[in-house]
Amino acid sequence: MKLNNILSCLQNTDDRVIFKKNNKEFSIQDLIPYAGSEYLNQIIGKKVAIDSLDFDKAIMIVLLDGIVDELFILPKGFLEKNKNFLKINKIDEVIDLKKFKKTKSVSSSLKHILPKYKYTTKWILLTSGTSGTPKQVQHSFLSISSSVKKSKKNFNPLTWGSAYSLDRFAGTQVFLQAILGGGTIIFPKSNNIKEMIDEFISNDVNSISATPTLWRKILMQKNCKNMNLKNITLGGEIADQNILNSLLKFFPSSSIRHIYASTEAGASITVEDNLEGFPESLMEDKNKKFSIKISDKGTLMIKASGMSQGYKNSNEELASKDEYYDTGDLVELRENRYYFLGRESGIINIGGSKIIPEEVENNIMKFPGVLDAVVYGRKNSIIGNILVCELIIDKFTITETKTFIDSLKKFYKKKYSDISCPRMFKIIEEVKTSEAGKVIRR
């Protein structure tokens, strides 16, 4: 049988715990009573949706991949807010784990139930909506798992902590890497950063993937130093040198990589040299899994083996005629290395000058005492917009905030430019993030 769904990849592996939340564990062997359920036979070849909590969602993804025709993996509560979604997409059923009545099976092997797993299920994910209304992107198991590294013999299994929701592309990558790579994934019960870290510590999590914004929040917690991490991955936002250096300082024995990926193009660029950006040599992958070029606008364009099959319910073309997908991310070449500047769609016009907020944030975070920064535009009747910056500062070392901000402004204007220096600065306690873990610019 071809390995074209999750269960087919797990059939010859030893039984082990693959998911865990609180004290609830779920092993490969635990899948069999669910997979033998009569309910599965009733939904073969149908279009279904799931919008439950991640632990239940994880079980259902494994059970449904290869059974249903289309699998919509949606954020928790999405259908309550979007009541016409089911009708518009002609979805046959919303799946709940309670509908699966576990059956006793005479077989203790997955091979007994695999013959009915004959569909090439279409995975439907929503984009994060960074550039506007979220779009529906279609993947197959082969495309969405293309970057997963299978475990080797004598491999020490990794325990991954889930910091992304499973309805996000990044969440599926961590999930599939954990269970197909021979490891386990821990779903925290709390969204509170400190409590999440405590759960990861108590479950011996040694691998975490998160956005740079979430990593900054993690490093602000005192208990983060108690984590024993082997693998650290950053994605979803620009991994600047400040956050890479901070992670190296906190976790000197960890392997740190930042990955460029998108729901549409899949995971493509992986950088492991502890430097921001990526070397020009990666423009052509030696393994031929992806190819990169730069558009006339200065945006990154990718052609990758993990590319999705396009947008659902849309006439918009995913890629150009030569099969390159325009990511909309601006890059700049400096001394044989490309650096990410920010989103083309996020450019702010300040008195006729085009300002990239991510670039301004990166510059501001180079000033000692700044822990995080968010820059956005505010409408102004005279110059169109003014720049506003929200700051998280090190309150243990900074007592006079006005003096600190004045010094920051002088530093910025001297080293960078007056026009891109924010006119307003606000001290905040926490950076607001989306469900995808990305910073929210007002």
Side-chain angles (χ1 to χ4, degrees):
M1 176 175 288
K2 294 181 179 179
L3 302 182
N4 58 0
N5 57 62
I6 298 175
L7 278 183
S8 63
C9 293
L10 294 174
Q11 62 178 312
N12 294 318
T13 60
D14 295 331
D15 187 39
R16 68 175 194 280
V17 173
I18 49 177
F19 321 135
K20 190 175 180 182
K21 182 177 182 179
N22 300 342
N23 295 319
K24 189 176 179 181
E25 297 182 345
F26 201 90
S27 69
I28 294 175
Q29 200 67 24
D30 289 329
L31 289 168
I32 294 173
Y34 285 97
S37 170
E38 179 57 32
Y39 179 63
L40 269 186
N41 296 328
Q42 298 171 16
I43 57 174
I44 288 176
K46 290 189 175 182
K47 298 179 181 180
V48 303
I50 50 176
D51 72 341
S52 55
L53 293 172
D54 274 355
F55 186 82
D56 286 359
K57 194 175 286 180
I59 298 171
M60 288 188 286
I61 288 173
V62 176
L63 293 172
L64 296 172
D65 181 39
I67 285 287
V68 299
D69 177 36
E70 293 185 1
L71 174 59
F72 289 77
I73 306 173
L74 305 172
K76 172 66 177 172
F78 177 85
L79 293 175
E80 275 293 317
K81 299 174 184 177
N82 300 270
K83 297 187 181 297
N84 292 328
F85 188 85
L86 296 176
K87 183 177 180 180
I88 292 171
N89 290 281
K90 300 178 181 179
I91 294 172
D92 299 308
E93 189 147 0
V94 179
I95 307 297
D96 189 303
L97 193 60
K98 295 176 182 178
K99 294 181 179 180
F100 289 83
K101 293 182 178 179
K102 294 190 288 184
T103 59
K104 293 182 179 179
S105 175
V106 294
S107 173
S108 60
S109 171
L110 289 176
K111 292 180 181 179
H112 178 73
I113 56 176
L114 277 175
K116 63 182 176 183
Y117 280 78
K118 57 186 179 182
Y119 276 82
T120 302
T121 298
K122 304 176 188 72
W123 295 45
I124 313 297
L125 297 169
L126 302 182
T127 61
S128 61
T130 304
S131 303
T133 304
K135 300 173 183 177
Q136 298 176 36
V137 180
Q138 179 180 310
H139 273 278
S140 66
F141 170 73
L142 294 179
S143 68
I144 208 163
S145 65
S146 64
S147 64
V148 171
K149 295 180 180 179
K150 304 295 191 298
S151 60
K152 299 176 181 178
K153 289 184 177 180
N154 302 318
F155 168 78
N156 290 322
L158 298 176
T159 302
W160 287 85
S162 176
Y164 294 112
S165 176
L166 272 182
D167 51 82
R168 301 298 174 188
F169 178 79
T172 66
Q173 298 305 285
V174 176
F175 168 67
L176 292 173
Q177 181 57 58
I179 66 170
L180 300 182
T184 301
I185 185 167
I186 308 298
F187 294 107
K189 64 180 179 181
S190 175
N191 290 325
N192 177 278
I193 301 296
K194 181 182 180 300
E195 293 175 1
M196 182 178 74
I197 293 171
D198 284 337
E199 287 187 67
F200 288 165
I201 293 169
S202 64
N203 284 285
D204 297 320
V205 165
N206 53 29
S207 303
I208 299 175
S209 179
T211 62
T213 297
L214 183 52
W215 275 116
R216 291 187 193 98
K217 290 185 177 185
I218 289 171
L219 295 183
M220 291 178 200
Q221 302 297 321
K222 292 181 180 179
N223 58 345
C224 80
K225 65 180 182 295
N226 297 322
M227 290 194 292
N228 183 21
L229 298 180
K230 293 181 180 179
N231 289 283
I232 290 174
T233 304
L234 302 92
E237 297 175 317
I238 297 172
D240 60 84
Q241 199 60 51
N242 289 330
I243 187 60
L244 293 172
N245 290 344
S246 296
L247 288 168
L248 281 166
K249 180 180 177 181
F250 272 79
F251 307 105
S253 60
S254 296
S255 171
I256 300 174
R257 62 180 66 85
H258 51 105
I259 295 175
Y260 184 86
S262 70
T263 311
E264 292 93 339
S268 49
I269 306 171
T270 300
V271 184
E272 300 181 275
D273 60 7
N274 297 326
L275 296 174
E276 63 182 328
F278 62 92
E280 189 179 13
S281 59
L282 281 183
M283 291 291 284
E284 193 69 45
D285 177 40
K286 62 182 180 180
N287 297 318
K288 303 297 180 183
K289 287 189 175 182
F290 68 88
S291 178
I292 302 170
K293 69 178 184 178
I294 310 301
S295 74
D296 295 338
K297 302 177 294 181
T299 54
L300 185 71
M301 300 186 75
I302 292 178
K303 180 165 62 174
S305 60
M307 191 90 75
S308 69
Q309 285 76 59
Y311 297 116
K312 184 174 172 60
N313 295 341
S314 173
N315 293 323
E316 182 180 350
E317 292 290 336
L318 179 70
S320 58
K321 291 182 180 179
D322 56 1
E323 299 181 342
Y324 279 85
Y325 167 68
D326 191 334
T327 65
D329 288 313
L330 294 163
V331 294
E332 181 179 71
L333 180 63
R334 301 180 222 139
E335 299 179 357
N336 302 318
R337 196 171 184 90
Y338 279 97
Y339 294 87
F340 289 99
L341 303 178
R343 297 287 297 170
E344 180 190 18
S345 60
I347 290 176
I348 303 169
N349 190 308
I350 307 290
S353 296
K354 294 181 178 180
I355 308 298
I356 304 171
E358 295 96 329
E359 191 173 19
V360 178
E361 290 166 358
N362 193 6
N363 294 338
I364 288 172
M365 283 190 283
K366 291 174 183 175
F367 189 70
V370 175
L371 301 179
D372 209 345
V374 180
V375 172
Y376 54 92
R378 176 175 289 179
K379 293 293 182 183
N380 181 275
S381 59
I382 300 174
I383 60 174
N385 293 283
I386 60 170
L387 285 184
V388 179
C389 177
E390 295 182 347
L391 288 174
I392 295 181
I393 60 175
D394 185 354
K395 292 185 176 180
F396 292 101
T397 59
I398 300 165
T399 54
E400 291 291 333
T401 56
K402 185 179 183 305
T403 302
F404 175 79
I405 290 174
D406 288 342
S407 299
L408 170 58
K409 286 180 178 179
K410 289 178 182 178
F411 158 82
Y412 191 98
K413 292 177 181 180
K414 183 178 180 180
K415 188 164 185 178
Y416 303 106
S417 72
D418 181 73
I419 191 67
S420 67
C421 182
R423 293 298 181 263
M424 293 179 62
F425 285 86
K426 297 179 179 180
I427 305 299
I428 61 173
E429 296 295 324
E430 183 179 14
V431 170
K432 291 184 178 181
T433 54
S434 67
E435 291 181 353
K438 299 180 181 182
V439 65
I440 296 175
R441 294 183 179 81
R442 298 176 189 273

